[in-house]
Amino acid sequence: MTDSKQPDPTVSTDPAVAVNGQCEQADSQHQHQQQQQQQQPSAESQGEAFKMDHEMKITDSIEDGGLLESSMRLKPHEAQSYRKKALWVSWVSIVITIILAITAFTVSIMRHSASAFGFAFDAMLDVLSSAIVLWRYSNAAAVHSAHREYIACVILGVIFILSSLCILGKAIHDLATKLLPEVDDFLFSVSIVSGLVCIIMAVIKFMLGKVLTSRALITDGFNSLVGGIMGFSILISAEVFKHEPKVWYLDGTIGVLIGLIILAYGVKLLLDMVPRIRQTRNYERFE
């Protein structure tokens, strides 16, 4: 007797069924790969977010401990080198802005220009802010001191507010009395020179402030930038008045706007820095 093997009913020998099974398996593998590819970017983005959050926490903990972020970025000799550059820039800024302030006050009196008066007052403010930066970096051991940095910023905030009130008062008075500015070549030359010099000084201060993570240096640079804008505003308002006498109020209006900008910046400085002084007063380590 010969045993005849019966085909297993569970195993299909149909070619179409086999092909469909392979296709389904391939589709499932493809979907699995797509899910992995979708999950990979999300994992990378989560990793980047965690890294940024971790760096922010480190920065906050450093400043709460009485040091600026520059203490992690710069080596000791690099920090001292940038500190000396900040001192040199501050001295140069003081000398230049004193000359510009005297010239601008003269122009303001002779030509009845509210913008020139505002620029002259802002130049004196620049002298004071540069002097504060000198104090800020006068101590080599305190180059990374957060407490000293915040004290300098609070003093700058108070000076900004007082100066803005004077600029606003003069500009509003000129608008109320309809004071007309006089135009000549001397006014043009002063505005161009002062505007260019102040903007160049502002760029240098911004660069040093970014490297040293110094809000005081950046604030000093902002003040120089405002001085540059006001220098060019003298030129613009005088030129407009020369061709359109009806727009006599442009000079005083620019003075009001500049005063409001300085006032807002000063208030923001005080709101940001006064609480930080209280947080870091126990960590003051400089002499």
Side-chain angles (χ1 to χ4, degrees):
M1 295 179 65
T2 58
D3 295 335
S4 60
K5 294 183 179 180
Q6 298 293 333
D8 190 354
T10 61
V11 179
S12 176
T13 57
D14 190 355
V17 175
V19 172
N20 291 335
Q22 293 176 356
C23 291
E24 292 177 358
Q25 184 179 4
D27 292 339
S28 63
Q29 292 178 352
H30 182 66
Q31 292 176 359
H32 183 66
Q33 292 176 355
Q34 287 182 344
Q35 291 177 356
Q36 289 181 342
Q37 292 176 356
Q38 292 176 356
Q39 291 175 357
Q40 185 176 0
S42 61
E44 292 178 355
S45 60
Q46 291 177 358
E48 293 177 357
F50 175 78
K51 183 179 179 181
M52 292 177 61
D53 184 63
H54 184 63
E55 291 178 352
M56 291 176 63
K57 289 181 179 178
I58 291 175
T59 302
D60 293 339
S61 63
I62 290 173
E63 293 188 0
D64 291 340
L67 296 175
L68 296 175
E69 188 181 350
S70 58
S71 61
M72 292 184 61
R73 295 182 178 180
L74 299 176
K75 297 178 181 179
H77 69 278
E78 293 177 340
Q80 294 302 322
S81 175
Y82 283 113
R83 183 187 72 88
K84 293 177 181 178
K85 292 178 181 178
L87 292 175
W88 273 105
V89 170
S90 297
W91 277 117
V92 172
S93 179
I94 288 174
V95 174
I96 292 177
T97 48
I98 286 177
I99 297 173
L100 292 177
I102 295 173
T103 305
F105 270 126
T106 304
V107 171
S108 175
I109 296 172
M110 294 175 60
R111 306 293 182 259
H112 308 292
S113 172
S115 294
F117 178 83
F119 171 78
F121 220 96
D122 185 75
M124 294 305 300
L125 173 61
D126 202 355
V127 172
L128 293 177
S129 63
S130 296
I132 294 171
V133 172
L134 282 176
W135 169 82
R136 163 67 183 89
Y137 289 104
S138 61
N139 192 334
V143 63
H144 299 304
S145 173
H147 188 74
R148 197 179 183 96
E149 179 77 18
Y150 300 153
I151 290 176
C153 289
V154 168
I155 298 173
L156 286 173
V158 173
I159 294 175
F160 271 43
I161 292 174
L162 295 177
S163 300
S164 66
L165 295 178
C166 295
I167 294 174
L168 285 171
K170 177 66 167 61
I172 292 173
H173 175 267
D174 290 348
L175 289 174
T177 58
K178 295 183 178 181
L179 190 63
L180 304 179
E182 298 181 11
V183 184
D184 60 9
D185 295 335
F186 178 68
L187 180 65
F188 287 170
S189 60
V190 169
S191 62
I192 292 175
V193 172
S194 60
L196 290 176
V197 170
C198 288
I199 288 178
I200 292 173
M201 296 299 296
V203 172
I204 297 174
K205 293 175 182 178
F206 281 141
M207 293 173 63
L208 288 174
K210 184 177 179 180
V211 174
L212 291 169
T213 60
S214 172
R215 184 74 177 270
L217 258 175
I218 293 175
T219 300
D220 193 17
F222 171 79
N223 187 44
S224 297
L225 179 63
V226 171
I229 294 173
M230 293 186 72
F232 285 115
S233 71
I234 298 172
L235 175 63
I236 294 172
S237 60
E239 189 67 21
V240 171
F241 177 74
K242 182 178 179 180
H243 295 85
E244 292 291 337
K246 294 181 180 179
V247 197
W248 59 269
Y249 52 84
L250 180 61
D251 187 68
T253 303
I254 294 175
V256 171
L257 292 176
I258 295 298
L260 291 175
I261 291 173
I262 296 175
L263 176 63
Y265 196 93
V267 172
K268 187 177 186 305
L269 269 181
L270 293 181
L271 293 176
D272 291 344
M273 296 301 158
V274 170
R276 297 187 182 186
I277 288 180
R278 297 174 181 174
Q279 292 174 0
T280 59
R281 61 185 174 185
N282 296 327
Y283 294 93
E284 187 176 1
R285 300 192 181 102
F286 57 87
E287 296 179 359

